[in-house]
């Protein structure tokens, strides 16, 4: 008898579509926080003990990434920032980025 835990599988087909949207949203928020903090993806990945390709998957919202990977990546970007703060986008650097984007001059 083969159990689903005995083999590799993709998470996406096992999740409801709204959960995939949530995973994508978390990834986008991680990427936005990283850009707001002006840190390169490769540097954050190294600090988190992840490969750059795993970091890219995290930022894309791949549902196959673990909570531990997400939390390590968040800690590498912004030490001390909670997952709740990420989801609420309450970090001051995100507010500064939003303000800078709103006031950019259009050519």
């Amino acid at each position: 008898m083969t159990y689903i835990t005995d083999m590799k599988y993709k998470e996406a087909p096992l999740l409801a579509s709204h959960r995939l949207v949530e995973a994508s949203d978390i990834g986008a928020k991680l990427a936005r926080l990283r850009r707001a903090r002006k840190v390169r993806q490769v540097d954050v990945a190294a600090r988190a003990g992840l490969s750059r390709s795993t970091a890219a998957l995290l930022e894309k919202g791949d549902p196959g990434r673990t909570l531990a990977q997400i939390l390590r990546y968040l800690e590498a970007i912004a030490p001390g920032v909670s997952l709740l703060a990420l989801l609420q986008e309450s970090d001051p650097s995100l507010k500064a980025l939003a303000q800078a984007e709103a006031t950019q001059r259009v050519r």
Side-chain angles (χ1 to χ4, degrees), residues 11-27 60-65 70 87:
E11 293 289 333
L14 303 174
L15 291 174
S17 62
H18 70 281
R19 295 295 180 205
L20 293 173
V21 171
E22 288 173 344
S24 180
D25 187 44
I26 290 170
K60 286 181 183 177
D62 179 10
R65 304 302 96 205
I70 293 168
L87 296 174

Side-chain angles (χ1 to χ4, degrees), residues 20-63:
L20 293 173
V21 171
E22 288 173 344
S24 180
D25 187 44
I26 290 170
K29 288 179 185 210
L30 282 168
R32 186 164 172 74
L33 180 61
R34 180 184 55 77
R35 286 192 305 274
R37 293 282 180 115
K38 297 181 170 123
V39 187
R40 294 183 324 157
Q41 189 181 62
V42 68
D43 295 334
V44 175
R47 274 188 237 148
L50 303 168
S51 67
R52 199 213 51 82
S53 61
T54 298
L57 290 171
L58 283 168
E59 290 188 6
K60 286 181 183 177
D62 179 10

